[in-house]
Amino acid sequence: MVSDDREMVARFLRGDSEAVGTVDGWISRAAWPYQRRLADRWDDVLQDVRLEVTRLLGEGKFRGESSLRTYLWRVVSHTCLDQLRSQSKWKWADVEVLDGMEESEPRRGISSRQEDRDLLLRVLDRVPQDCQEMWRLIVAGLSYREMSLRMGVAEGTLRVRVLRCREKAVAARQDLLQDGPGDGRNNPVKNSPKRSGEANIK
Amino acid sequence: MNCNESIEFLPWFLNGTLEKGEHDEIRRHLATCEACRAALNQTREAWEIFDQHLPSQTLVALAYGETPQETDPALAERHLASCPECAAELELARMSRHLEKDNVAPFPVPRPRSGASSRSWRNLAAAAGLTTLVASAGWIYQIQQTAPYSAQVARAQTPPAATAPREDSGALQKKLGELAATLSQLQSRQEETEMRARKAETQVAELETRNEAPHASTLVILDSPVLVRAGEEPSAPKPEEVRRSSLSTTVLLQAAKDEQAPGPRKAEIVDAAGTKLRLPEVLPLEPESGYYTLSVPAGFLKPGRYTIRLLDPKSGGLRETYALQVK
């Protein structure tokens, strides 16, 4: 660690106004590109970043592998990206529908564990591009009527295509779980059998 | 509603966009059908899969030109190619990294017009060349004027036998020749510089035509809103023409000047076919500038005409409309 950086950390943790001002200036500058996307949450996010930086420096997480300035820059980007994602995450509507009822099988919740995220990314990688695009619109909160108009397909056809894509994604997940992590990265998902009258998905 | 129909509606049951009748019908069906509840679980599972994005650590590592530790680099590359959200976020992380340098201004300074830029560069080159030319010409003229005078003085003050003035005159002639050669070189350099400037100007114009000029993001300013009053039909705003961008676009929407109650707005983009593309975020009004800022991901707007509609987030009433023609 460069002695200047070590001294800066010590001064920042002591509450030295000059060091706090310098670090705060770096944080604001590093977070500037995210300002427009974060909109009215900007001040709250900046405060979260300051707390995170104080926590990391207080716990001695900065080991001097890069300069303090670069380290803080990365922490700010990382925190802002996480905040952006949390604000755009669409909440499942009416998930309490099954409250009080027995589910037919235990539901798998969203896991933040790294291996699970990696597995899901690999599953997504196996699903055809048009399926990804269709489901991205659903996750973004578009109704089937809006999607039907936008894609220029009949509503019924669209619903069947989306269902097919769902089946492909679930099948790809099963395949990967059987293969084990890291296998078959480039294997395209197999088509499941068609129901009568359904449109083909390329 | 039977099981097949119910299962087809489940994705929109989860995203909450079904109409009340459809929603209630599926809800009732789910309460009695175990198979459809299993299908609901599979729909949630699919949702998790399709809502996957690269971890933020991976995006930050890529922004710093490093190999990501958390994700297979080839997988990350493929995901970025197909996911506009992650591509836009990577662009933000890269912009942030760029700001780490002290000499980069944190405000998106508009990119200068290529024509103006190269013209001014060319003018500077021409001015420098002209100055050199005038200075050289003045110098040569002074030497030419001085030469006979020097010779006369030498003749008057020096005995006729002396050869020094003749030698001086020869040296001056030699120097004059050298200066003329220098002047010729400068003129040819000026021509060469002008030719390079013209070539650079052509290249920049070509790049702009292909929209390949490097820039962080596209900025569009729409400052002619049509104010919609309660009970009135909105008139059609005049569209602002923009070129389709392969990068994210920031649209600045000026609030209507005679709006009685300016404040935050919900935005929706309507394409020529009348399809509404809803945006989840509420846009705050920036009080100093009087603009709303709308971020549109890369590749979101395909060529065509769009209307941007700003709605009151509480009442849902239409307040301002803007038009955009993407080429």
Side-chain angles (χ1 to χ4, degrees), chain A residues 29-34 36-37 39-40 67 69-70 73-74 77-78 81-82 84-85 87 89-98 101-111 114 117-118 120-125 127 129 131-132 135-139 141-147 149-150 156 158-160 162-163 165-166 169-170 173-174 185-186 195, chain B residues 4 7-9 11-19 22-23 27 30-31 34 37-57 59-61 64 66 70-72 75 78-79 82-86 88-89 92-93 95-97 99-102 104 106-108 250 252 275-278 280-282 284 286 293 295 300:
Chain A
R29 193 172 162 87
W32 181 86
Y34 304 94
R36 292 192 189 283
R37 290 277 303 277
D40 51 354
S67 72
R69 188 180 163 106
T70 300
W73 232 266
R74 296 181 70 136
S77 260
H78 183 265
L81 285 172
D82 283 345
L84 268 181
R85 287 174 172 194
Q87 84 172 9
K89 198 95 180 164
W90 192 274
K91 305 286 184 295
W92 284 341
D94 221 2
V95 285
E96 80 285 5
V97 66
L98 298 178
M101 300 178 191
E102 265 192 36
E103 297 188 28
S104 55
E105 58 177 284
R107 187 156 60 82
R108 302 178 189 92
I110 292 178
S111 172
Q114 182 58 46
R117 293 179 64 174
D118 194 53
L120 293 178
L121 268 176
R122 290 187 189 288
V123 173
L124 184 63
D125 190 41
V127 180
Q129 183 66 31
C131 285
Q132 294 185 31
W135 266 86
R136 203 169 280 132
L137 296 177
I138 295 170
V139 172
L142 264 72
S143 70
Y144 66 82
R145 290 199 176 88
E146 289 170 326
M147 287 177 63
L149 281 169
R150 183 172 174 159
L158 170 76
R159 289 198 294 266
V160 172
V162 167
L163 176 62
C165 290
R166 187 205 83 183
V170 172
R173 187 175 191 275
Q174 290 301 326
R185 240 178 271 160
N186 296 313
R195 282 192 340 192
Chain B
N4 277 348
I7 287 170
E8 285 176 10
F9 279 107
W12 295 280
F13 178 76
L14 281 181
N15 83 359
T17 57
L18 290 181
E19 290 186 356
E22 294 168 332
H23 180 91
R27 209 184 150 91
L30 283 170
E34 194 176 336
R37 287 205 296 277
L40 179 65
N41 282 344
Q42 288 198 335
T43 310
R44 286 179 172 132
E45 199 180 315
W47 183 296
E48 287 179 33
I49 293 165
F50 287 111
D51 197 19
Q52 276 310 302
H53 295 286
L54 292 175
S56 52
Q57 300 98 307
L59 290 179
V60 174
Y64 277 78
E66 297 166 3
E70 311 79 16
T71 316
D72 171 31
L75 178 65
R78 287 198 298 275
H79 183 84
S82 65
C83 178
E85 288 97 330
C86 285
E89 285 168 0
L92 288 178
M95 280 170 72
S96 174
R97 186 205 170 183
L99 287 176
E100 199 181 328
K101 297 171 196 160
D102 277 327
V104 177
F107 192 80
T250 300
L252 295 181
T275 311
K276 288 179 194 170
L277 316 171
R278 292 190 303 172
E281 46 194 313
V282 173
E286 291 177 19
T293 306
S295 294
F300 190 77

Side-chain angles (χ1 to χ4, degrees), chain A residues 10-25:
Chain A
R11 283 171 55 202
F12 175 79
L13 292 173
R14 278 201 309 270
D16 177 282
S17 59
E18 195 185 338
V20 170
T22 302
V23 169
D24 206 39

Side-chain angles (χ1 to χ4, degrees), chain B residues 11 101 134 146-147 164 185 203 266 281 302 309 315 317 323 327:
Chain B
K101 297 171 196 160
V134 170
T146 311
Q185 277 179 1
Q203 282 176 345
K266 284 213 79 164
E281 46 194 313
K302 296 184 169 54
R309 295 151 58 94
S315 67
K327 288 191 161 181

Side-chain angles (χ1 to χ4, degrees), chain B residues 193-256:
Chain B
T193 308
E194 282 188 354
M195 198 174 72
R196 280 187 192 168
R198 278 195 294 275
K199 198 174 168 186
E201 197 174 3
T202 314
Q203 282 176 345
V204 172
E206 273 177 17
L207 279 174
E208 244 193 5
T209 310
R210 290 187 217 155
N211 198 18
E212 288 175 356
H215 54 280
S217 63
T218 307
L219 184 68
V220 178
I221 300 174
L222 301 181
D223 50 8
S224 306
V226 170
L227 180 63
V228 182
R229 292 198 169 78
E232 285 181 5
E233 277 298 309
S235 56
K238 191 183 167 200
E240 180 81 20
E241 288 189 355
V242 295
R243 194 175 293 157
R244 187 186 182 192
S245 171
S246 58
L247 299 172
S248 60
T249 304
T250 300
V251 185
L252 295 181
L253 305 161
Q254 190 177 44

